[in-house]
Amino acid sequence: MTIEFDIAAFRTMYPEFASETAYPDVMLNMCWDMATCHISDSTYGCISEKCRTSALYLMTAHSCKLQGLLNSGKTGKTVTSSTVDKISVTVAAPNNRNDYDWWLNQTGYGQQYNALLKANSAGGLYVGGSPERSAFRRVGGRF
């Protein structure tokens, strides 16, 4: 089963994208398609359907926000200080572990998406090896 994109529900949940002239349905569908490249829209795995839907909508909002910034000639950067006279702007350098985290931190939607995935995704999985490695006794019960 796959999660379907409901544009009306998306516009209600994220009023920033309510304007159909600034954010036409074609753009929202393009951002949804991009979101499904980051997280699957199939309802399986360790993330529940409700959380997966939230994650997909957050990634869609993140992509739309960045696309809106690009369309207006801006980029998503963190401004740490600015001066009016003699115009000066200081932009923060990426302080994330990787470029993907930096890209997600450019919008509040990306930050929420990142936090949601970190809270709901599974850790590593151990496969194979001797059963003695996972116990404090040897196989057969002897030390």
Side-chain angles (χ1 to χ4, degrees):
M1 185 170 135
T2 59
I3 299 168
E4 298 296 323
F5 183 47
D6 184 357
I7 293 177
F10 178 79
R11 290 186 192 275
T12 302
M13 290 169 55
Y14 304 101
E16 178 179 355
F17 307 107
S19 171
E20 292 184 22
T21 55
Y23 297 98
D25 291 352
V26 173
M27 182 179 175
L28 294 181
N29 281 319
M30 180 202 67
C31 292
W32 172 262
D33 290 341
M34 186 178 294
T36 61
C37 293
H38 291 271
I39 183 170
S40 175
D41 59 348
S42 298
T43 56
Y44 67 87
C46 61
I47 301 174
S48 70
E49 183 177 350
K50 190 165 95 173
C51 289
R52 187 176 297 271
T53 302
S54 296
L56 282 165
Y57 277 44
L58 283 168
M59 180 51 85
T60 302
H62 175 70
S63 297
C64 286
K65 178 74 173 180
L66 289 178
Q67 189 63 46
L69 288 172
L70 288 172
N71 290 346
S72 66
K74 300 175 185 173
T75 58
K77 294 182 181 172
T78 307
V79 176
T80 57
S81 69
S82 63
T83 308
V84 175
D85 191 31
K86 305 267 183 175
I87 305 171
S88 152
V89 176
T90 306
V91 179
N95 60 350
N96 302 97
R97 292 180 298 159
N98 57 44
D99 289 339
Y100 189 65
D101 281 347
W102 177 80
W103 181 72
L104 289 174
N105 281 328
Q106 291 185 24
T107 70
Y109 304 117
Q111 292 170 2
Q112 290 178 48
Y113 169 81
N114 201 9
L116 179 72
L117 285 190
K118 286 181 180 178
N120 286 290
S121 60
L125 180 66
Y126 176 76
V127 177
S130 170
E132 292 177 354
R133 293 179 182 239
S134 62
F136 62 91
R137 294 185 179 195
R138 291 185 179 263
V139 174
R142 290 178 263 157
F143 289 103

